[in-house]
Amino acid sequence: MDPSQDALDYHSREPPGKVEISTTKPTSTQRDLSLAYSPGVAAPCREIAEHVEDVYKYTTKGNLVGVISDGSAVLGLGDIGPAASKPVMEGKGVLFKRFADVDVFDIELDADPDAFIEHVEAMEPTFGGINLEDIKAPECFEIERTLRDRMDIPVFHDDQHGTAIISGAALLNAADIAGKALEDLSVTFAGAGAAATATARFYVSLGVQRENITMCDIDGIITESRADDGSLDPYTREFAQDVPAGDLADAMADADVFVGLSVGGIVSPDMLRSMADNPIVFAMANPDPEIGYEEAKQARDDTVIMATGRSDYPNQVNNVLGFPFIFRGALDVRANEINEEMKIAAAEALADLAREDVPDAVVKAYGDQPLQFGSEYIIPKPLDPRVLFEVAPAVAEAAVESGASDESLDRAAYVEELEARLGKSREMMRVVLNKAKSDPKRVILSEGKHEKMIRAAYQLVDQGIADPVLLGNRTSIERTIDDLGLSFSPEIIDPLDCDLEPYAERLYELRKRKGITRTEATELVRDEAYLGSVMVELGEADAMLTGLTNHYPSALRPPLQVVGTAPDAEYVAGVYMLTFKNRVVFCADATVNQDPDAEVLAGVARQTANLAREFNVDPRVALLSYSDFGSVDNHGTRKPRRAAEMLREDETVDFPVDGEMQADTAVIEDMLTDTYEFSDLDEPANILVFPNLEAGNIGYKLLQRLGGAEAIGPMLVGMDKPVHVLQRGDEVKDIVNLAGVAVADAQEE
């Protein structure tokens, strides 16, 4: 299909465009509407009239950015006018919302620079910040400077500063990899427009010497003689050098760094070969770089550290790594500007993040290509969710420290607020992970030679969540740690290189009347799952994770045989926590019991309620069926009905429970309270106990896939000691999350 037609169809599909306004408060009743508008709206109006700062309390101003353009320099299309620029401005709004939960009004102005400035200045009461976009040079410099002087909210021209910040982060890491100091770098620029000038200025802020920057435009090297003849604008003139006239080829000779912000194909292999050893090449013209990636790599025998503006090559310099998170940090501390300190903080945070282990989800999003700090990975990928948690706090902190904000900042608490913005699952997991960090426990990771287990162990140590013990071949584990570039020394237990006699003896004692001989016990403890289970049972470890490479029933068998169920539980169950935008639901049992009776269902409900409390959730339990409170009477409906009765009769049960009931009755408040006002649940259930394994597995998967829920689990409840069985193919974050749950379990023990 023609890509242009595909894009046109995408934008014209009903409703046209890419953004809409949605409400954040209920509007379903007359009372709701009277609060949203007249007469209720008068109350906040009066408060704001008396205390203008309350506009941040009662309106969206604190999370609203104006993306504003005159359409004079749109992408590579040039001066196409304000109306034609609107798809780009809408797209910018999509990125703000998608990556940092910042709301946007896009505004396209048909105005000369003076009128443009007046219009934008007049909109200060509306917005928490202004993102200027696609305004031609040199007018963009004066527009931004004037608005920054006149307005008390952040004003940021992304075309200038976005590329500067992202490529600045890349430069920090590239210089380190090349073994060169910033102050010694010789830098050549191809291009002298808004982005190039702002980038050169920013490099100076990072530590590059101004006298070491050579800038070229279409007429060649920008020299002092050209500055003297009046042919340069004042913004370019500051980079004029006292050197002979020459072209780009002359400027690139012996340069350490080439920065291309011009047009494609202007750099030849010979020009690249003339540069210094291990050159840094940022060829950022789009869609065609100043020199192609393959061409640049083949031009030299040493290391060429290459970045482009394209997503199909390593090290994409993409402004989306900057502006959403910079504004997020600035808005959240009500900064009055985005200053140089805040921009430097953003670049340094991005550079630091590129040195960290990359989440599996990011690797998968980019075709499972290896992503590890080095010449092919010097800046994070745009889809890396961690950028929000690193850049926004760094910017906010810099705003406070530099005086751009009068607010105070608790960085740890702020990170938790940001996590809550990205979804309820992060907020819920933060509760458990914080508990785990308060008293880390020793957690066995069977299948310890697996790369995911090793990476999870690194994160557990790095974040202070647990003290991991990797079970597996020592040589293989240490080699993988070295290959991954992880700087940590975890505890490793190699079943082939340790005294297994005590563990074999204990396993024999536990299972000798269950059909296991002494010889079989000796063989079984060589299996990591059995060895880990015995270590947990003996108290040599506090918890264990297993199952990453095995079928769930096979992985569950060793801990069930060795650790067994808790004294108050005869059965175990697998629970998924499903998180929606404003709701959390625990689904049980989804992995273990095929056809439980009423007693098992009641036990599963008790254990799941205990788990919910670990997440600071007050449990409300519904026993599910296809009937409501006796509307159908048969063997299937009697099981959940009897389980609910057993729980209500148990004086130790201190949570509301009811059933049998249909799933929609359990979760829809109007159905529950209006139709069945006699129910013991006065609020929708947050624990759904399914009548059998088939229903539980189907139910949670439908909720996850069609309901848009995020799933955490399965978490194993009912074990005598904390053991959790992973699903085959789980990601590193899943392992880390379950390890956090296991540590919290162990703390309760």
Side-chain angles (χ1 to χ4, degrees):
M1 185 175 185
D2 177 11
S4 296
Q5 187 59 50
D6 194 23
L8 292 174
D9 291 343
Y10 173 86
H11 283 81
S12 62
R13 195 162 56 235
E14 289 293 330
K18 299 186 288 286
V19 294
E20 67 178 6
I21 294 174
S22 62
T23 60
T24 60
K25 302 294 189 297
T27 57
S28 56
T29 68
Q30 177 59 37
R31 180 178 180 275
D32 293 338
L33 295 176
S34 69
L35 291 171
Y37 195 54
S38 180
V41 74
C45 290
R46 285 192 292 268
E47 291 295 317
I48 296 169
E50 188 171 345
H51 306 287
V52 69
E53 284 299 302
D54 281 351
V55 68
Y56 288 95
K57 181 177 180 180
Y58 296 113
T59 76
T60 62
K61 178 181 171 74
N63 195 52
L64 187 62
V65 166
V67 173
I68 306 179
S69 179
D70 64 358
S72 59
V74 180
L75 303 177
L77 304 175
D79 188 353
I80 60 175
S85 76
K86 189 172 179 64
V88 180
M89 303 310 119
E90 284 187 353
K92 195 84 172 191
V94 169
L95 298 179
F96 265 110
K97 189 66 177 178
R98 161 65 176 80
F99 288 101
D101 194 31
V102 173
D103 294 322
V104 162
F105 286 158
D106 65 280
I107 297 175
E108 295 72 36
L109 296 175
D110 186 0
D112 61 47
D114 289 338
F116 187 99
I117 291 169
E118 290 178 5
H119 292 326
V120 175
E121 182 185 5
M123 289 187 279
E124 181 169 345
T126 299
F127 296 110
I130 300 293
N131 183 104
L132 300 174
E133 194 77 15
D134 291 350
I135 303 170
K136 68 180 180 180
E139 287 88 342
C140 63
F141 299 113
E142 186 61 25
I143 288 172
E144 187 195 42
R145 185 192 64 77
T146 304
L147 288 173
R148 287 188 61 178
D149 288 344
R150 293 185 184 179
M151 301 180 78
D152 288 327
I153 58 174
V155 177
F156 184 82
H157 184 209
D158 187 46
D159 298 308
Q160 289 184 56
H161 308 298
T163 300
I165 292 167
I166 312 311
S167 69
L171 182 67
L172 291 172
N173 281 336
D176 184 55
I177 293 168
K180 300 179 180 182
L182 290 177
E183 60 268 21
D184 297 332
L185 292 177
S186 171
V187 184
T188 295
F189 276 80
T197 305
T199 300
R201 286 175 176 169
F202 188 65
Y203 285 7
V204 172
S205 296
L206 291 176
V208 175
Q209 300 300 303
R210 189 180 298 271
E211 58 268 24
N212 291 344
I213 295 176
T214 302
M215 188 173 286
C216 301
D217 62 10
I218 194 171
D219 296 318
I221 297 174
I222 294 174
T223 63
E224 287 189 354
S225 62
R226 290 181 59 191
D228 293 340
D229 67 18
S231 62
L232 302 175
D233 65 62
Y235 304 100
T236 307
R237 194 178 302 137
E238 66 180 276
F239 290 100
Q241 298 287 12
D242 185 13
V243 296
D247 58 15
L248 180 60
D250 298 320
M252 288 183 65
D254 297 321
D256 296 296
V257 182
F258 168 76
V259 181
L261 289 161
S262 51
V263 294
I266 63 172
V267 174
S268 69
D270 284 341
M271 293 164 70
L272 192 64
R273 281 190 283 268
S274 75
M275 295 180 69
D277 292 343
N278 301 318
I280 299 167
V281 179
F282 295 166
M284 296 181 285
N286 246 336
D288 300 314
E290 285 79 1
I291 182 170
Y293 178 83
E294 294 87 356
E295 193 177 17
K297 288 289 186 177
Q298 294 168 5
R300 302 180 59 120
D301 294 329
D302 58 359
T303 301
V304 178
I305 304 175
M306 180 92 174
T308 72
R310 293 179 51 149
S311 61
D312 52 347
Y313 295 125
N315 301 325
Q316 182 191 16
V317 178
N318 190 328
N319 285 17
V320 78
L321 281 168
F323 67 85
F325 316 107
I326 292 167
F327 269 97
R328 178 77 276 156
L331 292 172
D332 288 340
V333 293
R334 297 191 196 173
N336 56 29
E337 65 174 345
I338 295 173
N339 58 30
E340 206 69 9
E341 292 89 344
M342 295 160 71
K343 291 186 286 183
I344 291 172
E348 291 177 342
L350 286 169
D352 290 343
L353 182 58
R355 297 168 181 261
E356 301 293 329
D357 186 45
V358 181
D360 291 340
V362 178
V363 175
K364 287 181 179 179
Y366 290 91
D368 290 318
Q369 58 180 291
L371 298 177
Q372 185 176 337
F373 181 66
S375 62
E376 301 293 285
Y377 182 70
I378 57 176
I379 42 178
K381 293 292 188 180
L383 291 178
D384 192 330
R386 300 172 301 165
V387 176
L388 174 63
F389 311 126
E390 299 298 328
V391 175
V395 170
E397 207 164 53
V400 172
E401 292 176 357
S402 66
S405 167
D406 295 328
E407 302 284 313
S408 60
L409 183 71
D410 180 335
R411 182 160 179 156
Y414 178 47
V415 170
E416 292 186 15
E417 291 175 16
L418 293 173
E419 288 183 328
R421 281 186 175 276
L422 280 197
K424 197 73 174 175
S425 64
R426 289 180 174 272
E427 180 183 356
M428 299 305 298
M429 278 311 308
R430 180 55 53 191
V431 171
V432 168
L433 294 178
N434 283 343
K435 288 181 180 179
K437 290 177 183 180
S438 69
D439 184 18
K441 300 294 183 181
R442 196 163 185 252
V443 178
I444 296 288
L445 302 181
S446 73
E447 304 145 302
K449 70 178 181 181
H450 197 287
E451 178 187 316
K452 288 182 179 179
M453 285 296 203
I454 294 169
R455 290 168 54 210
Y458 172 77
Q459 291 189 24
L460 293 170
V461 171
D462 185 57
Q463 298 177 38
I465 295 170
D467 299 322
V469 180
L470 293 167
L471 300 188
N473 182 272
R474 180 180 300 276
T475 301
S476 175
I477 292 172
E478 290 177 343
R479 183 169 54 246
T480 302
I481 290 173
D482 187 58
D483 290 344
L484 293 172
L486 302 177
S487 56
F488 84 129
S489 301
E491 182 180 355
I492 301 170
I493 295 179
D494 187 341
L496 300 180
D497 187 30
C498 68
D499 180 13
L500 297 179
E501 182 63 27
Y503 306 111
E505 184 62 33
R506 181 56 179 164
L507 179 58
Y508 177 62
E509 286 296 319
L510 291 170
R511 302 294 297 175
K512 64 185 179 182
R513 293 187 179 274
K514 302 291 185 180
I516 290 182
T517 67
R518 184 66 176 77
T519 301
E520 289 172 331
T522 300
E523 289 300 315
L524 282 175
V525 292
R526 297 180 185 278
D527 179 278
E528 295 157 10
Y530 274 101
L531 175 58
S533 297
V534 176
M535 292 178 67
V536 170
E537 198 277 335
L538 285 171
E540 294 185 11
D542 301 294
M544 181 177 79
L545 301 188
T546 188
L548 185 63
T549 60
N550 292 297
H551 287 293
Y552 195 90
S554 299
L556 179 59
R557 189 174 300 112
L560 264 183
Q561 290 180 352
V562 176
V563 177
T565 59
D568 61 345
E570 295 184 18
Y571 300 91
V572 298
V575 181
Y576 278 93
M577 181 175 72
L578 300 181
T579 61
F580 302 85
K581 186 174 182 180
N582 295 308
R583 177 180 289 190
V584 176
V585 175
F586 294 84
C587 294
D589 170 23
T591 62
V592 180
N593 299 290
Q594 290 191 7
D595 189 19
D597 59 21
E599 186 175 358
V600 174
L601 290 177
V604 168
R606 290 189 191 93
Q607 298 297 334
T608 307
N610 292 336
L611 175 67
R613 286 183 167 132
E614 288 188 19
F615 288 89
N616 291 350
V617 172
D618 292 328
R620 299 186 298 275
V621 176
L623 280 298
L624 300 184
S625 182
Y626 66 94
S627 72
D628 280 317
F629 306 108
S631 60
V632 176
D633 187 32
N634 59 34
H635 173 71
T637 62
R638 290 183 203 123
K639 282 196 313 180
R641 189 185 313 153
R642 177 57 188 147
E645 291 171 354
M646 293 169 65
L647 289 166
R648 286 197 297 268
E649 292 166 358
D650 186 343
E651 294 181 357
T652 66
V653 170
D654 58 353
F655 50 83
V657 57
D658 215 335
E660 88 283 17
M661 65 176 67
Q662 296 185 32
D664 52 353
T665 303
V667 298
I668 302 299
E669 186 168 8
D670 289 348
M671 293 181 65
L672 186 65
T673 58
D674 293 352
T675 307
Y676 303 105
E677 72 283 352
F678 56 81
S679 173
D680 289 338
L681 295 176
D682 54 8
E683 293 182 66
N686 51 29
I687 293 177
L688 306 179
V689 179
F690 288 84
N692 54 48
L693 181 59
E694 188 175 25
N697 198 269
I698 292 170
Y700 102 80
K701 287 183 176 178
L702 282 175
L703 285 168
Q704 180 187 10
R705 300 300 182 183
L706 298 183
E710 291 189 57
I712 295 173
M715 295 172 277
L716 203 58
V717 297
M719 294 292 293
D720 191 32
K721 294 189 177 181
V723 175
H724 291 289
V725 178
L726 299 159
Q727 297 276 53
R728 287 203 300 178
D730 270 352
E731 297 180 1
V732 172
K733 71 170 185 177
D734 301 315
I735 301 171
V736 172
N737 285 342
L738 276 184
V741 173
V743 172
D745 290 343
Q747 291 171 347
E748 294 295 324
E749 294 283 335

